[in-house]
Amino acid sequence: MTALATIAIVVYQHASDAAFYWQFRDEGSRSPEFDLDELAHGDGLLEANLEGLRVNGEAGWRQALAELARWRMPGEAFVCAVLAFDRAATDRAGTRWDELLASIEDATETFAGLIDACRWLPWSCVAASASAWLDSPDPRLRRLAVAAHSFHRHSLGDAFDALSHDPDPHLRAQVLLHAGQTGDRDASWRLHAALDDTDAACRTAAACALALLGDDHGLPRLLEALRHGQATPLALTVLGLRLSAPEIDSLIGEDDLRPELRIALIRAAGAARWIPRLIDWVRDPAIAAAAASAFMHLTGAEREALAAEPVQANPSPDDPSPAQAGDLAAADAAVDSDDEETDDEGDGWHPDPEAFAAWWNTHRGRLSEPRLLAGRASTPEAWQALLRDGQQPARQYAAWALALHRPGSGVFDVAAPAPRQWAALNAPTPG
């Protein structure tokens, strides 16, 4: 094998593995099996493969673009976007971004990867492009610009007003939520007006942003979203922490509220008094996974203690991807499969109601607080501790809870690269 052929194989493997590790990291950032240390391990593997593409210059870019054209998936889009941002400082004509956007066209399934590239890179790498895109005629670039400003907690400045009236409701909602995520109190006037937006997602985003700024005038809009099954996880967290216990109980008791929404509200409120009902719901196959997840979220119980069958091990980022193993047919099958696992039941784990009841009978004496999170009293001190040592779902809840507790402080990004998170955690706590 010639040296050129060997280099081509290495470049292909870097492109393939970078996309694989991005997907692993993306799923891990929401997984109850991941904490910050595990996220950091995945980050290192991802960055190593990105660097392998960078040092191969144009050959790395061409291979990444070829992988995107082949798969048209967010992982491949992420890799290309990172390389396009890397070149942006010297690529004044924007050639790489032009090629990238032409390659994905209207493939919306790739967009999550483009968004995440704005989070992955430091602000210094994305600032010039993000600032220039704020008034781009391409709505995709405007969305990327707003995402970059949100992830790095930078104000939209004079562009906020125009963007908050954008004809694209998805972008409009993103802009409204940005004000709360970054602690932009100057945007309050626009958020109040947006509570009457014609789009439900925009009304919800405005209400959440106001809550993050310490203003509860949007709570009726969040209750409306809840009853229509349109409440986002952040909206549920706002309701769970802002409403009183009697108000939560009244909502859960509403006849028209679907069981899965009742469970979501119990989870968001940390309502320990409803744990016996969660155990009852574990007996209902239709809602067992949601009830089991809420139970573990509140109590900190581990799945191994609650399973009817052995838990299958999650794949390790050190395990070879199909492409690493040279099995391209398996790689094709993995991407083409329509059987993507989306909940706890998909990985071989089946909650055992009797195990839940037995666990609760054993441990309930030490879990006497009215609000629980990960087996602790749900307090600001616990939220701060969970940002350091909690699993990802608990960390996300803690980040939202702290932002609500400290209005205008902004939201900690639990999916940011691990070194950036550690730096933020070691910075002085806002007063």
Side-chain angles (χ1 to χ4, degrees):
M1 184 178 294
T2 67
L4 287 177
T6 300
I7 291 172
I9 291 173
V10 170
V11 172
Y12 160 75
Q13 186 165 324
H14 281 312
S16 178
D17 290 351
F20 169 81
Y21 287 125
W22 176 85
Q23 182 178 354
F24 184 89
R25 183 192 192 279
D26 180 60
E27 294 172 356
S29 69
R30 300 182 298 275
S31 170
E33 306 301 314
F34 269 62
D35 59 16
L36 183 52
D37 287 339
E38 285 150 344
L39 202 65
H41 182 53
D43 285 0
L45 295 168
L46 173 55
E47 181 58 33
N49 283 283
L50 290 171
E51 189 60 25
L53 292 171
R54 291 184 180 109
V55 299
N56 280 284
E58 188 66 15
W61 166 248
R62 290 295 156 200
Q63 186 61 55
L65 205 60
E67 292 296 298
L68 175 60
R70 181 186 185 197
W71 300 111
R72 295 172 71 82
M73 295 294 286
E76 286 73 16
F78 167 85
V79 174
C80 288
V82 168
L83 297 179
F85 273 128
D86 285 345
R87 181 61 65 87
T90 56
D91 183 15
R92 297 300 181 186
T95 306
R96 282 193 174 180
W97 273 104
D98 289 342
E99 288 187 86
L100 171 52
L101 294 174
S103 179
I104 64 173
E105 296 177 339
D106 59 352
T108 55
E109 65 273 12
T110 65
F111 205 75
L114 303 185
I115 291 282
D116 207 46
C118 298
R119 165 190 270 142
W120 179 260
L121 292 166
W123 176 245
S124 59
C125 291
V126 302
S129 297
S131 298
W133 291 342
L134 286 173
D135 60 356
S136 170
D138 188 334
R140 297 174 298 178
L141 293 180
R142 296 200 300 276
R143 288 183 65 189
L144 290 175
V146 174
H149 282 77
S150 295
F151 289 141
H152 296 279
R153 295 179 63 172
H154 281 269
S155 170
L156 295 174
D158 293 339
F160 174 81
D161 186 46
L163 288 167
S164 68
H165 290 88
D166 197 276
D168 178 358
H170 297 291
L171 176 58
R172 206 159 63 243
Q174 185 183 358
V175 171
L176 295 168
L177 189 57
H178 166 276
Q181 291 173 323
T182 59
D184 184 3
R185 294 184 182 277
D186 292 339
S188 294
W189 64 272
R190 177 68 187 106
L191 297 175
H192 277 277
L195 293 175
D196 294 320
D197 195 286
T198 56
D199 183 78
C202 290
R203 296 194 297 270
T204 299
C208 287
L210 282 170
L212 291 169
L213 296 174
D215 186 335
D216 287 345
H217 280 86
L219 288 185
R221 289 305 192 195
L222 298 184
L223 290 169
E224 177 184 279
L226 173 69
R227 293 181 174 116
H228 286 88
Q230 299 171 332
T232 62
L234 173 56
L236 287 164
T237 302
V238 172
L239 289 173
L241 291 175
R242 284 289 193 260
L243 298 179
S244 66
E247 289 172 320
I248 292 290
D249 291 348
S250 177
L251 274 175
I252 293 171
E254 290 186 5
D255 292 337
D256 293 338
L257 198 66
R258 300 200 309 269
E260 59 269 26
L261 295 178
R262 297 176 183 177
I263 292 169
L265 195 55
I266 292 168
R267 177 186 182 120
R273 61 194 174 279
W274 285 93
I275 287 177
R277 180 62 63 85
L278 289 176
I279 296 172
D280 290 339
W281 280 327
V282 172
R283 304 178 192 279
D284 182 346
I287 54 175
S293 178
F295 179 95
M296 292 184 288
H297 182 75
L298 269 60
T299 65
E302 297 184 355
R303 296 201 317 172
E304 289 82 353
L306 306 170
E309 297 180 7
V311 179
Q312 295 179 2
N314 281 346
S316 165
D318 295 317
D319 292 340
S321 67
Q324 283 178 296
D327 189 352
L328 298 184
D332 288 344
V335 173
D336 291 340
S337 171
D338 291 327
D339 297 325
E340 184 177 359
E341 296 166 3
T342 57
D343 56 38
D344 288 333
E345 293 183 338
D347 63 3
W349 183 73
H350 299 283
D352 179 1
E354 302 310 319
F356 277 74
W359 190 99
W360 180 238
N361 286 334
T362 299
H363 298 279
R364 63 188 304 173
R366 65 174 179 81
L367 298 173
S368 57
E369 299 292 337
R371 290 182 184 266
L372 291 173
L373 176 61
R376 316 177 190 193
S378 188
T379 64
E381 294 75 20
W383 303 333
Q384 193 67 48
L386 282 166
L387 284 182
R388 293 182 177 276
D389 63 22
Q391 305 305 106
Q392 283 298 110
R395 296 184 73 233
Q396 180 60 82
Y397 182 95
W400 286 332
L402 281 169
L404 291 165
H405 180 67
R406 300 194 291 249
S409 63
V411 180
F412 185 92
D413 185 2
V414 301
R420 194 183 306 155
Q421 293 194 50
W422 280 319
L425 288 171
N426 291 324
T429 302

